[in-house]
Amino acid sequence: IMSNNEEKADRFNQGKPQWSLVDFKSLEPLVRVLEFGALKYERENWKKRHVKSELLDSAMRHMAAMIDGEEIDPESGLPHSAHIMCNMMFYNYHFINKKDE
């Protein structure tokens, strides 16, 4: 904490991600889905090559379940919204790293 008479340090953060905008507590269900997947498959299995359409199909199945009024995935016992977040995280990971079909 600075006092009023201290000079503020220079920072060159223009254009950099503002991680302080993220509510990390709301991402906890995503982490729980990742933990579920690590037990079902293996840790970081999602980093292996994927077909984009399969990731989108999975996200849409969870979205359709939510639209039909189902909040919790019956297999994992976790929110469908968290499964959607995971699928989109996987999609973005593969898009950024060009590990997709």
Side-chain angles (χ1 to χ4, degrees):
I1 299 176
M2 296 185 337
S3 66
N4 289 339
N5 60 352
E6 285 186 70
E7 186 177 347
K8 185 176 181 301
D10 289 332
R11 300 290 306 166
F12 301 103
N13 292 322
Q14 186 69 23
K16 295 180 182 177
Q18 296 180 41
W19 286 97
S20 60
L21 296 172
V22 176
D23 176 43
F24 290 97
K25 184 67 177 166
S26 67
L27 297 179
E28 186 175 323
L30 174 144
V31 174
R32 297 296 179 198
V33 171
L34 290 171
E35 292 170 340
F36 178 81
L39 292 174
K40 183 176 178 180
Y41 304 103
E42 64 182 67
R43 187 178 183 89
E44 298 186 4
N45 179 69
W46 61 271
K47 289 184 178 179
K48 295 177 182 176
R49 191 172 54 84
H50 282 273
V51 177
K52 281 182 179 181
S53 62
E54 291 177 358
L55 292 172
L56 295 173
D57 286 345
S58 177
M60 286 306 300
R61 284 192 298 273
H62 289 285
M63 181 68 75
M66 288 182 67
I67 289 169
D68 287 343
E70 183 178 274
E71 293 293 323
I72 303 297
D73 175 66
E75 180 186 1
S76 67
L78 297 165
H80 284 294
S81 60
H83 285 274
I84 294 165
M85 289 191 300
C86 277
N87 278 287
M88 294 298 89
M89 184 183 81
F90 302 164
Y91 187 92
N92 285 338
Y93 173 83
H94 290 280
F95 177 77
I96 290 166
N97 293 293
K98 306 292 188 222
K99 293 183 177 184
D100 52 14
E101 288 184 14

